[in-house]
Amino acid sequence: MISAKSQREIETMRQAGKIVALAREAVAAAIRPGVTTKQLDRIAEKVIRDLGASPSFKGYGGFPASICTSVNSVLVHGIPDQTVLKDGDIISIDIGACFQGYHGDAAWTYAVGNVSEEALRLMEIARCALFTGLEQVKAGNRCSDISHAIGTFVEANGGSVPIDYTGHGIGTQLHEEPAIPNFGPAGRGILLKKGMTLAIEPMVHAGKPHTRVLADDWTVVTKDGSLAAHYEHTVVVTDEGYEILTINPDKEEDAVYGQAGCH
Ligand code: MG
């Protein structure tokens, strides 16, 4: 049973989402050649804790850090370490924060210095896939309408999506029902209802869709070594559409964070 959240719960999730957005902003400002992924992890954790929340990922299933830092062919779940970012890398930053028992979850891919045309194009496809999927979020639509929109958009633009990693419901648990794949037919799955809270997260490969997990049991890479990008917002379903929760509402330009040039 997937429950809609109450107004009080949604308000708490807005606060969790704002903390995620502020951590994202701090990390984004620190991304440059020469910085280590561990330094980015410390920056995010400090923002999250200073604002009275805790990092959702730390200890989740034994994950050893506060954020996921996934560089180049790493799709998701990269562990922050002494890896030094260099000019031309791309890095996906996935951040979760738990505030008063409710989670926010968001991811974004960033260019480190000057990156290739191929990397820029991949990032654009994955970013716009997020907003293409979000267009299907409204009360009365089916869950797989989101999946279908993302999958067809990515395929039409020459990318591929992994089959084994999905978006998800979110609330008092980081991962709740339903799973929201990034591909598949429309018109299936649960009916979306006002107040449901979802993390929509297209992951896109420049090459083939296959993945493998490294020996650390976390780091997911593209099997063919191609670049990967990952964009995610936590949203609440409304009658008309959706409201993005993983933004800073005090910044006007954050209201549609990342949507420029898409839909
Ligand atoms: Mg997520």
Side-chain angles (χ1 to χ4, degrees):
M1 178 63 191
I2 299 152
S3 60
K5 270 69 174 180
S6 69
Q7 279 308 318
R8 184 193 62 78
E9 289 178 295
I10 292 165
E11 182 48 39
T12 307
M13 289 186 71
R14 279 193 193 97
Q15 295 180 61
K18 180 179 177 178
I19 293 166
V20 169
L22 291 169
R24 174 179 62 212
E25 189 175 281
V27 170
I31 290 175
R32 61 175 64 86
V35 75
T36 68
T37 52
K38 185 73 199 165
Q39 285 175 302
L40 300 178
D41 184 65
R42 287 208 192 93
I43 289 166
E45 179 162 357
K46 180 166 189 338
V47 172
I48 290 167
R49 293 201 189 279
D50 284 354
L51 294 169
S54 57
S56 303
F57 303 163
K58 198 159 205 174
Y60 185 88
F63 190 76
S66 293
I67 62 173
C68 301
T69 50
S70 303
V71 180
N72 295 332
S73 62
V74 180
L75 172 63
V76 287
H77 305 165
I79 301 173
D81 60 10
Q82 299 310 319
T83 301
V84 178
L85 295 183
K86 54 188 195 309
D87 190 63
D89 285 341
I90 61 172
I91 180 168
S92 300
I93 303 287
D94 198 343
I95 303 177
C98 184
F99 182 73
Q100 294 180 0
Y102 288 83
H103 295 273
D105 187 7
W108 220 257
T109 303
Y110 298 94
V112 182
N114 298 302
V115 304
S116 67
E117 281 295 322
E118 184 204 7
L120 287 174
R121 181 165 157 69
L122 174 73
M123 291 164 66
E124 172 103 349
I125 292 166
R127 182 172 63 82
C128 290
L130 170 60
F131 290 95
T132 302
L134 287 176
E135 278 185 1
Q136 296 301 317
V137 178
K138 70 172 97 163
N141 275 11
R142 293 269 169 192
C143 186
S144 86
D145 294 341
I146 305 166
S147 309
H148 181 71
I150 291 171
T152 50
F153 178 85
V154 171
E155 197 175 322
N157 284 284
S160 71
V161 298
I163 60 168
D164 28 10
Y165 299 92
T166 70
H168 50 91
I170 180 168
T172 55
Q173 304 293 318
L174 178 61
H175 295 118
E176 298 184 353
E177 291 291 308
I180 308 169
N182 291 312
F183 65 95
R188 310 270 175 90
I190 61 149
L191 203 54
L192 300 180
K193 289 191 185 132
K194 180 180 174 180
M196 285 179 175
T197 43
L198 308 171
I200 309 298
E201 50 178 323
M203 293 152 243
V204 179
H205 299 178
K208 298 211 165 67
H210 313 98
T211 60
R212 71 188 171 90
V213 181
L214 299 188
D216 61 19
D217 279 340
W218 280 108
T219 310
V220 180
V221 299
T222 58
K223 208 167 185 178
D224 62 7
S226 65
L227 291 175
H230 178 205
Y231 291 78
E232 174 183 29
H233 269 315
T234 297
V235 302
V236 57
V237 180
T238 66
D239 284 328
E240 307 76 36
Y242 61 90
E243 175 191 335
I244 300 176
L245 299 178
T246 37
I247 56 161
N248 176 3
D250 301 334
K251 277 177 78 177
E252 208 175 312
E253 66 272 26
D254 243 24
V256 286
Y257 182 85
Q259 194 173 0
C262 298
H263 292 266

